[in-house]
Amino acid sequence: MSATETEPEAEGSADAATDEASGSADAALADLPPSAKLVYKVLEYEQPLTQEGVAAETRLCPRTARYALGKLEDHELVTSRVCLEDARQSKYRIAE
């Protein structure tokens, strides 16, 4: 085997690890309500967002956005941190 033949395998294993991580998120998302799936997809593109920002971007009512974020946090798909601009709010992002 030449060195060039082993390089694609090494790249493939890195891609497989990424696919495996996204696959586990997809499996966890399958059991969640549609609002939680929508919030997750919005956070993929627009993170970090406050709860108010999530409601605005998804056009969900604030109560539904809060429920969806809670479900995502329960399944450890989303993490929250205190917002530095306003300590009364949290910013949500996709868990790594």
Side-chain angles (χ1 to χ4, degrees), residues 1-81:
M1 291 178 117
S2 69
T4 56
E5 290 179 10
T6 59
E7 287 178 6
E9 291 174 13
E11 283 181 23
S13 63
D15 291 339
T18 304
D19 291 341
E20 190 175 305
S22 66
S24 64
D26 291 341
L29 281 172
D31 297 335
L32 295 177
S35 60
K37 293 174 186 174
L38 174 62
V39 168
Y40 186 86
K41 285 297 180 188
V42 166
L43 285 173
E44 280 184 338
Y45 294 102
E46 302 290 332
Q47 68 181 345
L49 289 173
T50 61
Q51 181 180 328
E52 184 178 289
V54 168
E57 287 291 324
T58 59
R59 296 186 174 217
L60 294 171
C61 69
R63 183 177 179 180
T64 304
R66 184 172 53 248
Y67 173 78
L69 286 166
K71 286 291 190 182
L72 289 168
E73 278 190 305
D74 290 346
H75 285 83
E76 299 177 352
L77 295 171
V78 170
T79 59
S80 64
R81 289 191 178 171

Side-chain angles (χ1 to χ4, degrees), residues 50 81-91:
T50 61
R81 289 191 178 171
V82 174
C83 178
L84 296 177
E85 295 87 23
D86 184 356
R88 297 172 294 175
Q89 297 183 14
S90 296
K91 287 216 174 179

